[in-house]
PDB file of all heavy atoms in Angstrom:
ATOM      1  N   ILE A 756     -13.940   8.709   0.466  1.00 75.00           N
ATOM      2  CA  ILE A 756     -14.023   8.014   1.758  1.00 75.00           C
ATOM      3  C   ILE A 756     -14.839   6.729   1.641  1.00 75.00           C
ATOM      4  O   ILE A 756     -14.587   5.758   2.348  1.00 75.00           O
ATOM      5  CB  ILE A 756     -14.594   8.932   2.868  1.00 75.00           C
ATOM      6  CG1 ILE A 756     -14.370   8.323   4.250  1.00 75.00           C
ATOM      7  CG2 ILE A 756     -16.068   9.221   2.655  1.00 75.00           C
ATOM      8  CD1 ILE A 756     -12.985   8.421   4.735  1.00 75.00           C
ATOM      9  N   SER A 757     -15.792   6.685   0.731  1.00 72.00           N
ATOM     10  CA  SER A 757     -16.603   5.471   0.556  1.00 72.00           C
ATOM     11  C   SER A 757     -15.783   4.328  -0.021  1.00 72.00           C
ATOM     12  O   SER A 757     -16.185   3.180   0.027  1.00 72.00           O
ATOM     13  CB  SER A 757     -17.815   5.750  -0.336  1.00 72.00           C
ATOM     14  OG  SER A 757     -17.395   6.106  -1.633  1.00 72.00           O
ATOM     15  N   GLU A 758     -14.607   4.651  -0.544  1.00 72.00           N
ATOM     16  CA  GLU A 758     -13.715   3.641  -1.118  1.00 72.00           C
ATOM     17  C   GLU A 758     -12.528   3.358  -0.196  1.00 72.00           C
ATOM     18  O   GLU A 758     -11.468   2.966  -0.647  1.00 72.00           O
ATOM     19  CB  GLU A 758     -13.185   4.118  -2.471  1.00 72.00           C
ATOM     20  CG  GLU A 758     -14.269   4.414  -3.478  1.00 72.00           C
ATOM     21  CD  GLU A 758     -13.719   5.079  -4.715  1.00 72.00           C
ATOM     22  OE1 GLU A 758     -13.445   6.289  -4.657  1.00 72.00           O
ATOM     23  OE2 GLU A 758     -13.559   4.377  -5.721  1.00 72.00           O
ATOM     24  N   LEU A 759     -12.734   3.546   1.111  1.00 69.00           N
ATOM     25  CA  LEU A 759     -11.628   3.379   2.060  1.00 69.00           C
ATOM     26  C   LEU A 759     -11.054   1.983   2.028  1.00 69.00           C
ATOM     27  O   LEU A 759      -9.844   1.792   2.107  1.00 69.00           O
ATOM     28  CB  LEU A 759     -12.093   3.726   3.475  1.00 69.00           C
ATOM     29  CG  LEU A 759     -11.045   3.616   4.575  1.00 69.00           C
ATOM     30  CD1 LEU A 759      -9.858   4.538   4.293  1.00 69.00           C
ATOM     31  CD2 LEU A 759     -11.643   3.947   5.924  1.00 69.00           C
ATOM     32  N   TRP A 760     -11.898   0.985   1.926  1.00 73.00           N
ATOM     33  CA  TRP A 760     -11.405  -0.392   1.917  1.00 73.00           C
ATOM     34  C   TRP A 760     -11.234  -0.860   0.482  1.00 73.00           C
ATOM     35  O   TRP A 760     -12.183  -1.015  -0.255  1.00 73.00           O
ATOM     36  CB  TRP A 760     -12.375  -1.326   2.654  1.00 73.00           C
ATOM     37  CG  TRP A 760     -12.807  -0.785   3.972  1.00 73.00           C
ATOM     38  CD1 TRP A 760     -14.088  -0.597   4.382  1.00 73.00           C
ATOM     39  CD2 TRP A 760     -11.984  -0.347   5.052  1.00 73.00           C
ATOM     40  NE1 TRP A 760     -14.109  -0.069   5.639  1.00 73.00           N
ATOM     41  CE2 TRP A 760     -12.831   0.091   6.083  1.00 73.00           C
ATOM     42  CE3 TRP A 760     -10.609  -0.283   5.251  1.00 73.00           C
ATOM     43  CZ2 TRP A 760     -12.362   0.586   7.293  1.00 73.00           C
ATOM     44  CZ3 TRP A 760     -10.146   0.219   6.452  1.00 73.00           C
ATOM     45  CH2 TRP A 760     -11.003   0.628   7.453  1.00 73.00           C
ATOM     46  N   PHE A 761      -9.996  -1.075   0.105  1.00 67.00           N
ATOM     47  CA  PHE A 761      -9.682  -1.534  -1.246  1.00 67.00           C
ATOM     48  C   PHE A 761      -9.612  -3.044  -1.267  1.00 67.00           C
ATOM     49  O   PHE A 761      -9.648  -3.703  -0.236  1.00 67.00           O
ATOM     50  CB  PHE A 761      -8.337  -0.949  -1.705  1.00 67.00           C
ATOM     51  CG  PHE A 761      -8.355   0.551  -1.805  1.00 67.00           C
ATOM     52  CD1 PHE A 761      -7.797   1.331  -0.811  1.00 67.00           C
ATOM     53  CD2 PHE A 761      -8.948   1.176  -2.886  1.00 67.00           C
ATOM     54  CE1 PHE A 761      -7.814   2.709  -0.891  1.00 67.00           C
ATOM     55  CE2 PHE A 761      -8.968   2.558  -2.975  1.00 67.00           C
ATOM     56  CZ  PHE A 761      -8.406   3.331  -1.983  1.00 67.00           C
ATOM     57  N   ASP A 762      -9.478  -3.602  -2.450  1.00 71.00           N
ATOM     58  CA  ASP A 762      -9.347  -5.047  -2.591  1.00 71.00           C
ATOM     59  C   ASP A 762      -8.021  -5.557  -2.044  1.00 71.00           C
ATOM     60  O   ASP A 762      -7.866  -6.740  -1.803  1.00 71.00           O
ATOM     61  CB  ASP A 762      -9.495  -5.461  -4.058  1.00 71.00           C
ATOM     62  CG  ASP A 762     -10.921  -5.282  -4.555  1.00 71.00           C
ATOM     63  OD1 ASP A 762     -11.846  -5.292  -3.722  1.00 71.00           O
ATOM     64  OD2 ASP A 762     -11.104  -5.126  -5.770  1.00 71.00           O
ATOM     65  N   ASP A 763      -7.055  -4.660  -1.877  1.00 73.00           N
ATOM     66  CA  ASP A 763      -5.763  -5.066  -1.319  1.00 73.00           C
ATOM     67  C   ASP A 763      -5.972  -5.586   0.095  1.00 73.00           C
ATOM     68  O   ASP A 763      -6.575  -4.916   0.924  1.00 73.00           O
ATOM     69  CB  ASP A 763      -4.800  -3.869  -1.248  1.00 73.00           C
ATOM     70  CG  ASP A 763      -4.601  -3.217  -2.600  1.00 73.00           C
ATOM     71  OD1 ASP A 763      -4.125  -3.906  -3.501  1.00 73.00           O
ATOM     72  OD2 ASP A 763      -4.938  -2.033  -2.728  1.00 73.00           O
ATOM     73  N   GLU A 764      -5.486  -6.772   0.367  1.00 80.00           N
ATOM     74  CA  GLU A 764      -5.604  -7.331   1.707  1.00 80.00           C
ATOM     75  C   GLU A 764      -4.400  -6.910   2.528  1.00 80.00           C
ATOM     76  O   GLU A 764      -3.259  -7.165   2.148  1.00 80.00           O
ATOM     77  CB  GLU A 764      -5.702  -8.859   1.642  1.00 80.00           C
ATOM     78  CG  GLU A 764      -6.833  -9.362   2.486  1.00 80.00           C
ATOM     79  CD  GLU A 764      -7.003 -10.848   2.378  1.00 80.00           C
ATOM     80  OE1 GLU A 764      -7.390 -11.306   1.298  1.00 80.00           O
ATOM     81  OE2 GLU A 764      -6.740 -11.524   3.386  1.00 80.00           O
ATOM     82  N   ILE A 765      -4.657  -6.258   3.631  1.00 86.00           N
ATOM     83  CA  ILE A 765      -3.592  -5.826   4.529  1.00 86.00           C
ATOM     84  C   ILE A 765      -3.693  -6.692   5.779  1.00 86.00           C
ATOM     85  O   ILE A 765      -4.427  -6.386   6.711  1.00 86.00           O
ATOM     86  CB  ILE A 765      -3.719  -4.329   4.885  1.00 86.00           C
ATOM     87  CG1 ILE A 765      -3.866  -3.461   3.632  1.00 86.00           C
ATOM     88  CG2 ILE A 765      -2.550  -3.886   5.742  1.00 86.00           C
ATOM     89  CD1 ILE A 765      -2.679  -3.497   2.686  1.00 86.00           C
ATOM     90  N   GLU A 766      -2.979  -7.799   5.776  1.00 86.00           N
ATOM     91  CA  GLU A 766      -3.010  -8.730   6.908  1.00 86.00           C
ATOM     92  C   GLU A 766      -1.985  -8.314   7.958  1.00 86.00           C
ATOM     93  O   GLU A 766      -1.075  -7.542   7.680  1.00 86.00           O
ATOM     94  CB  GLU A 766      -2.689 -10.150   6.427  1.00 86.00           C
ATOM     95  CG  GLU A 766      -3.756 -10.729   5.517  1.00 86.00           C
ATOM     96  CD  GLU A 766      -3.474 -12.173   5.164  1.00 86.00           C
ATOM     97  OE1 GLU A 766      -2.760 -12.844   5.930  1.00 86.00           O
ATOM     98  OE2 GLU A 766      -3.980 -12.614   4.137  1.00 86.00           O
ATOM     99  N   GLY A 767      -2.136  -8.880   9.151  1.00 85.00           N
ATOM    100  CA  GLY A 767      -1.175  -8.620  10.216  1.00 85.00           C
ATOM    101  C   GLY A 767       0.229  -9.019   9.779  1.00 85.00           C
ATOM    102  O   GLY A 767       0.411 -10.046   9.147  1.00 85.00           O
ATOM    103  N   THR A 768       1.184  -8.220  10.080  1.00 89.00           N
ATOM    104  CA  THR A 768       2.610  -8.344   9.754  1.00 89.00           C
ATOM    105  C   THR A 768       2.904  -8.255   8.264  1.00 89.00           C
ATOM    106  O   THR A 768       4.021  -8.528   7.838  1.00 89.00           O
ATOM    107  CB  THR A 768       3.272  -9.628  10.324  1.00 89.00           C
ATOM    108  OG1 THR A 768       2.913 -10.766   9.548  1.00 89.00           O
ATOM    109  CG2 THR A 768       2.953  -9.813  11.791  1.00 89.00           C
ATOM    110  N   SER A 769       1.929  -7.859   7.460  1.00 92.00           N
ATOM    111  CA  SER A 769       2.206  -7.721   6.029  1.00 92.00           C
ATOM    112  C   SER A 769       3.115  -6.512   5.797  1.00 92.00           C
ATOM    113  O   SER A 769       3.260  -5.640   6.650  1.00 92.00           O
ATOM    114  CB  SER A 769       0.915  -7.577   5.224  1.00 92.00           C
ATOM    115  OG  SER A 769       0.268  -6.351   5.516  1.00 92.00           O
ATOM    116  N   LEU A 770       3.714  -6.488   4.631  1.00 94.00           N
ATOM    117  CA  LEU A 770       4.655  -5.436   4.272  1.00 94.00           C
ATOM    118  C   LEU A 770       4.076  -4.606   3.132  1.00 94.00           C
ATOM    119  O   LEU A 770       3.679  -5.147   2.098  1.00 94.00           O
ATOM    120  CB  LEU A 770       5.992  -6.054   3.841  1.00 94.00           C
ATOM    121  CG  LEU A 770       7.074  -5.094   3.371  1.00 94.00           C
ATOM    122  CD1 LEU A 770       7.520  -4.198   4.528  1.00 94.00           C
ATOM    123  CD2 LEU A 770       8.248  -5.867   2.816  1.00 94.00           C
ATOM    124  N   THR A 771       4.021  -3.316   3.351  1.00 94.00           N
ATOM    125  CA  THR A 771       3.605  -2.374   2.313  1.00 94.00           C
ATOM    126  C   THR A 771       4.732  -1.380   2.137  1.00 94.00           C
ATOM    127  O   THR A 771       5.206  -0.791   3.114  1.00 94.00           O
ATOM    128  CB  THR A 771       2.299  -1.659   2.716  1.00 94.00           C
ATOM    129  OG1 THR A 771       1.251  -2.628   2.785  1.00 94.00           O
ATOM    130  CG2 THR A 771       1.917  -0.590   1.711  1.00 94.00           C
ATOM    131  N   VAL A 772       5.177  -1.204   0.906  1.00 95.00           N
ATOM    132  CA  VAL A 772       6.259  -0.264   0.611  1.00 95.00           C
ATOM    133  C   VAL A 772       5.713   0.797  -0.335  1.00 95.00           C
ATOM    134  O   VAL A 772       5.196   0.481  -1.411  1.00 95.00           O
ATOM    135  CB  VAL A 772       7.472  -0.974  -0.024  1.00 95.00           C
ATOM    136  CG1 VAL A 772       8.558   0.036  -0.389  1.00 95.00           C
ATOM    137  CG2 VAL A 772       8.015  -2.051   0.907  1.00 95.00           C
ATOM    138  N   ILE A 773       5.851   2.039   0.095  1.00 94.00           N
ATOM    139  CA  ILE A 773       5.426   3.177  -0.713  1.00 94.00           C
ATOM    140  C   ILE A 773       6.610   4.125  -0.800  1.00 94.00           C
ATOM    141  O   ILE A 773       7.184   4.515   0.224  1.00 94.00           O
ATOM    142  CB  ILE A 773       4.211   3.885  -0.083  1.00 94.00           C
ATOM    143  CG1 ILE A 773       3.030   2.917  -0.001  1.00 94.00           C
ATOM    144  CG2 ILE A 773       3.854   5.137  -0.866  1.00 94.00           C
ATOM    145  CD1 ILE A 773       1.873   3.409   0.823  1.00 94.00           C
ATOM    146  N   GLU A 774       6.975   4.492  -2.000  1.00 94.00           N
ATOM    147  CA  GLU A 774       8.068   5.445  -2.190  1.00 94.00           C
ATOM    148  C   GLU A 774       7.483   6.831  -2.431  1.00 94.00           C
ATOM    149  O   GLU A 774       6.418   6.974  -3.043  1.00 94.00           O
ATOM    150  CB  GLU A 774       8.918   5.043  -3.403  1.00 94.00           C
ATOM    151  CG  GLU A 774       9.682   3.759  -3.202  1.00 94.00           C
ATOM    152  CD  GLU A 774      10.505   3.353  -4.421  1.00 94.00           C
ATOM    153  OE1 GLU A 774      10.386   4.004  -5.491  1.00 94.00           O
ATOM    154  OE2 GLU A 774      11.255   2.380  -4.299  1.00 94.00           O
ATOM    155  N   TYR A 775       8.191   7.836  -1.933  1.00 92.00           N
ATOM    156  CA  TYR A 775       7.781   9.219  -2.139  1.00 92.00           C
ATOM    157  C   TYR A 775       8.985   9.988  -2.641  1.00 92.00           C
ATOM    158  O   TYR A 775      10.026  10.029  -1.995  1.00 92.00           O
ATOM    159  CB  TYR A 775       7.262   9.839  -0.836  1.00 92.00           C
ATOM    160  CG  TYR A 775       6.787  11.246  -1.015  1.00 92.00           C
ATOM    161  CD1 TYR A 775       5.511  11.508  -1.504  1.00 92.00           C
ATOM    162  CD2 TYR A 775       7.608  12.322  -0.708  1.00 92.00           C
ATOM    163  CE1 TYR A 775       5.067  12.806  -1.677  1.00 92.00           C
ATOM    164  CE2 TYR A 775       7.174  13.629  -0.877  1.00 92.00           C
ATOM    165  CZ  TYR A 775       5.903  13.867  -1.361  1.00 92.00           C
ATOM    166  OH  TYR A 775       5.463  15.159  -1.537  1.00 92.00           O
ATOM    167  N   SER A 776       8.857  10.563  -3.819  1.00 91.00           N
ATOM    168  CA  SER A 776       9.951  11.315  -4.414  1.00 91.00           C
ATOM    169  C   SER A 776       9.363  12.339  -5.378  1.00 91.00           C
ATOM    170  O   SER A 776       8.419  12.035  -6.118  1.00 91.00           O
ATOM    171  CB  SER A 776      10.888  10.356  -5.162  1.00 91.00           C
ATOM    172  OG  SER A 776      11.942  11.063  -5.751  1.00 91.00           O
ATOM    173  N   ASN A 777       9.922  13.539  -5.369  1.00 90.00           N
ATOM    174  CA  ASN A 777       9.474  14.602  -6.273  1.00 90.00           C
ATOM    175  C   ASN A 777       7.962  14.832  -6.190  1.00 90.00           C
ATOM    176  O   ASN A 777       7.270  14.959  -7.202  1.00 90.00           O
ATOM    177  CB  ASN A 777       9.881  14.314  -7.720  1.00 90.00           C
ATOM    178  CG  ASN A 777      11.373  14.216  -7.881  1.00 90.00           C
ATOM    179  OD1 ASN A 777      12.130  14.970  -7.256  1.00 90.00           O
ATOM    180  ND2 ASN A 777      11.830  13.272  -8.677  1.00 90.00           N
ATOM    181  N   ASN A 778       7.456  14.858  -4.964  1.00 90.00           N
ATOM    182  CA  ASN A 778       6.025  15.085  -4.711  1.00 90.00           C
ATOM    183  C   ASN A 778       5.118  14.032  -5.330  1.00 90.00           C
ATOM    184  O   ASN A 778       3.956  14.304  -5.615  1.00 90.00           O
ATOM    185  CB  ASN A 778       5.599  16.484  -5.181  1.00 90.00           C
ATOM    186  CG  ASN A 778       6.264  17.577  -4.377  1.00 90.00           C
ATOM    187  OD1 ASN A 778       6.471  17.428  -3.176  1.00 90.00           O
ATOM    188  ND2 ASN A 778       6.614  18.653  -5.041  1.00 90.00           N
ATOM    189  N   GLN A 779       5.641  12.834  -5.535  1.00 92.00           N
ATOM    190  CA  GLN A 779       4.862  11.740  -6.118  1.00 92.00           C
ATOM    191  C   GLN A 779       4.998  10.495  -5.252  1.00 92.00           C
ATOM    192  O   GLN A 779       6.077  10.190  -4.757  1.00 92.00           O
ATOM    193  CB  GLN A 779       5.389  11.394  -7.522  1.00 92.00           C
ATOM    194  CG  GLN A 779       5.305  12.512  -8.516  1.00 92.00           C
ATOM    195  CD  GLN A 779       4.022  12.457  -9.319  1.00 92.00           C
ATOM    196  OE1 GLN A 779       3.354  11.443  -9.356  1.00 92.00           O
ATOM    197  NE2 GLN A 779       3.685  13.563  -9.949  1.00 92.00           N
ATOM    198  N   TYR A 780       3.885   9.796  -5.082  1.00 93.00           N
ATOM    199  CA  TYR A 780       3.897   8.509  -4.403  1.00 93.00           C
ATOM    200  C   TYR A 780       3.974   7.405  -5.442  1.00 93.00           C
ATOM    201  O   TYR A 780       3.420   7.520  -6.531  1.00 93.00           O
ATOM    202  CB  TYR A 780       2.605   8.290  -3.607  1.00 93.00           C
ATOM    203  CG  TYR A 780       2.452   9.175  -2.399  1.00 93.00           C
ATOM    204  CD1 TYR A 780       1.664  10.318  -2.452  1.00 93.00           C
ATOM    205  CD2 TYR A 780       3.069   8.848  -1.202  1.00 93.00           C
ATOM    206  CE1 TYR A 780       1.499  11.117  -1.333  1.00 93.00           C
ATOM    207  CE2 TYR A 780       2.909   9.649  -0.074  1.00 93.00           C
ATOM    208  CZ  TYR A 780       2.121  10.781  -0.160  1.00 93.00           C
ATOM    209  OH  TYR A 780       1.967  11.562   0.949  1.00 93.00           O
ATOM    210  N   LYS A 781       4.661   6.325  -5.079  1.00 95.00           N
ATOM    211  CA  LYS A 781       4.712   5.144  -5.934  1.00 95.00           C
ATOM    212  C   LYS A 781       4.469   3.923  -5.048  1.00 95.00           C
ATOM    213  O   LYS A 781       5.208   3.690  -4.092  1.00 95.00           O
ATOM    214  CB  LYS A 781       6.063   5.021  -6.624  1.00 95.00           C
ATOM    215  CG  LYS A 781       6.182   3.783  -7.492  1.00 95.00           C
ATOM    216  CD  LYS A 781       7.558   3.663  -8.099  1.00 95.00           C
ATOM    217  CE  LYS A 781       7.678   2.361  -8.862  1.00 95.00           C
ATOM    218  NZ  LYS A 781       9.057   2.095  -9.241  1.00 95.00           N
ATOM    219  N   GLU A 782       3.430   3.162  -5.377  1.00 94.00           N
ATOM    220  CA  GLU A 782       3.146   1.931  -4.654  1.00 94.00           C
ATOM    221  C   GLU A 782       4.095   0.853  -5.160  1.00 94.00           C
ATOM    222  O   GLU A 782       4.056   0.491  -6.320  1.00 94.00           O
ATOM    223  CB  GLU A 782       1.697   1.498  -4.884  1.00 94.00           C
ATOM    224  CG  GLU A 782       0.688   2.473  -4.334  1.00 94.00           C
ATOM    225  CD  GLU A 782      -0.733   2.056  -4.625  1.00 94.00           C
ATOM    226  OE1 GLU A 782      -1.008   0.840  -4.691  1.00 94.00           O
ATOM    227  OE2 GLU A 782      -1.577   2.959  -4.787  1.00 94.00           O
ATOM    228  N   VAL A 783       4.959   0.355  -4.286  1.00 96.00           N
ATOM    229  CA  VAL A 783       5.939  -0.656  -4.663  1.00 96.00           C
ATOM    230  C   VAL A 783       5.424  -2.051  -4.301  1.00 96.00           C
ATOM    231  O   VAL A 783       5.410  -2.952  -5.127  1.00 96.00           O
ATOM    232  CB  VAL A 783       7.304  -0.385  -3.975  1.00 96.00           C
ATOM    233  CG1 VAL A 783       8.310  -1.466  -4.323  1.00 96.00           C
ATOM    234  CG2 VAL A 783       7.824   0.996  -4.354  1.00 96.00           C
ATOM    235  N   THR A 784       5.005  -2.218  -3.059  1.00 94.00           N
ATOM    236  CA  THR A 784       4.502  -3.494  -2.559  1.00 94.00           C
ATOM    237  C   THR A 784       3.324  -3.200  -1.642  1.00 94.00           C
ATOM    238  O   THR A 784       3.428  -2.342  -0.772  1.00 94.00           O
ATOM    239  CB  THR A 784       5.587  -4.235  -1.755  1.00 94.00           C
ATOM    240  OG1 THR A 784       6.734  -4.411  -2.568  1.00 94.00           O
ATOM    241  CG2 THR A 784       5.099  -5.571  -1.253  1.00 94.00           C
ATOM    242  N   ILE A 785       2.228  -3.910  -1.834  1.00 93.00           N
ATOM    243  CA  ILE A 785       1.051  -3.709  -0.999  1.00 93.00           C
ATOM    244  C   ILE A 785       0.644  -5.041  -0.365  1.00 93.00           C
ATOM    245  O   ILE A 785       0.339  -6.000  -1.059  1.00 93.00           O
ATOM    246  CB  ILE A 785      -0.137  -3.144  -1.818  1.00 93.00           C
ATOM    247  CG1 ILE A 785       0.254  -1.872  -2.581  1.00 93.00           C
ATOM    248  CG2 ILE A 785      -1.357  -2.905  -0.909  1.00 93.00           C
ATOM    249  CD1 ILE A 785       0.667  -0.709  -1.711  1.00 93.00           C
ATOM    250  N   GLY A 786       0.679  -5.091   0.958  1.00 92.00           N
ATOM    251  CA  GLY A 786       0.184  -6.244   1.709  1.00 92.00           C
ATOM    252  C   GLY A 786       0.936  -7.547   1.483  1.00 92.00           C
ATOM    253  O   GLY A 786       0.350  -8.622   1.567  1.00 92.00           O
ATOM    254  N   ASP A 787       2.236  -7.478   1.248  1.00 93.00           N
ATOM    255  CA  ASP A 787       3.034  -8.687   0.993  1.00 93.00           C
ATOM    256  C   ASP A 787       3.175  -9.515   2.268  1.00 93.00           C
ATOM    257  O   ASP A 787       3.572  -9.009   3.318  1.00 93.00           O
ATOM    258  CB  ASP A 787       4.411  -8.293   0.473  1.00 93.00           C
ATOM    259  CG  ASP A 787       5.312  -9.480   0.228  1.00 93.00           C
ATOM    260  OD1 ASP A 787       4.803 -10.559  -0.127  1.00 93.00           O
ATOM    261  OD2 ASP A 787       6.541  -9.331   0.405  1.00 93.00           O
ATOM    262  N   ILE A 788       2.851 -10.802   2.184  1.00 91.00           N
ATOM    263  CA  ILE A 788       2.996 -11.691   3.343  1.00 91.00           C
ATOM    264  C   ILE A 788       3.926 -12.867   3.032  1.00 91.00           C
ATOM    265  O   ILE A 788       3.904 -13.884   3.709  1.00 91.00           O
ATOM    266  CB  ILE A 788       1.621 -12.222   3.820  1.00 91.00           C
ATOM    267  CG1 ILE A 788       0.893 -12.939   2.697  1.00 91.00           C
ATOM    268  CG2 ILE A 788       0.780 -11.105   4.430  1.00 91.00           C
ATOM    269  CD1 ILE A 788      -0.324 -13.715   3.147  1.00 91.00           C
ATOM    270  N   SER A 789       4.763 -12.718   2.020  1.00 92.00           N
ATOM    271  CA  SER A 789       5.633 -13.821   1.606  1.00 92.00           C
ATOM    272  C   SER A 789       6.627 -14.222   2.701  1.00 92.00           C
ATOM    273  O   SER A 789       7.156 -15.330   2.678  1.00 92.00           O
ATOM    274  CB  SER A 789       6.379 -13.458   0.325  1.00 92.00           C
ATOM    275  OG  SER A 789       7.210 -12.333   0.517  1.00 92.00           O
ATOM    276  N   HIS A 790       6.872 -13.347   3.662  1.00 90.00           N
ATOM    277  CA  HIS A 790       7.801 -13.662   4.757  1.00 90.00           C
ATOM    278  C   HIS A 790       7.180 -14.547   5.828  1.00 90.00           C
ATOM    279  O   HIS A 790       7.887 -15.106   6.649  1.00 90.00           O
ATOM    280  CB  HIS A 790       8.276 -12.363   5.411  1.00 90.00           C
ATOM    281  CG  HIS A 790       7.165 -11.575   6.006  1.00 90.00           C
ATOM    282  ND1 HIS A 790       6.345 -10.775   5.233  1.00 90.00           N
ATOM    283  CD2 HIS A 790       6.703 -11.473   7.271  1.00 90.00           C
ATOM    284  CE1 HIS A 790       5.445 -10.217   6.004  1.00 90.00           C
ATOM    285  NE2 HIS A 790       5.638 -10.620   7.246  1.00 90.00           N
TER     286      HIS A 790
END
């Protein structure tokens, strides 16, 4: 819990994509604001 805030910047309207398959998470895109 002390590491709740990561270096990843999650700005308003940013896009984060996380895949879940076979009981595993995969971080695809974190905090993308290219749009």
Side-chain angles (χ1 to χ4, degrees):
I756 193 75
S757 64
E758 302 171 282
L759 181 59
W760 313 125
F761 297 101
D762 290 336
D763 303 299
E764 228 177 292
I765 309 297
E766 293 185 24
T768 77
S769 67
L770 177 65
T771 295
V772 177
I773 299 169
E774 293 179 353
Y775 182 82
S776 180
N777 299 322
N778 294 324
Q779 299 267 343
Y780 291 99
K781 178 183 175 191
E782 296 178 32
V783 178
T784 303
I785 306 298
D787 178 32
I788 57 169
S789 62
H790 61 280

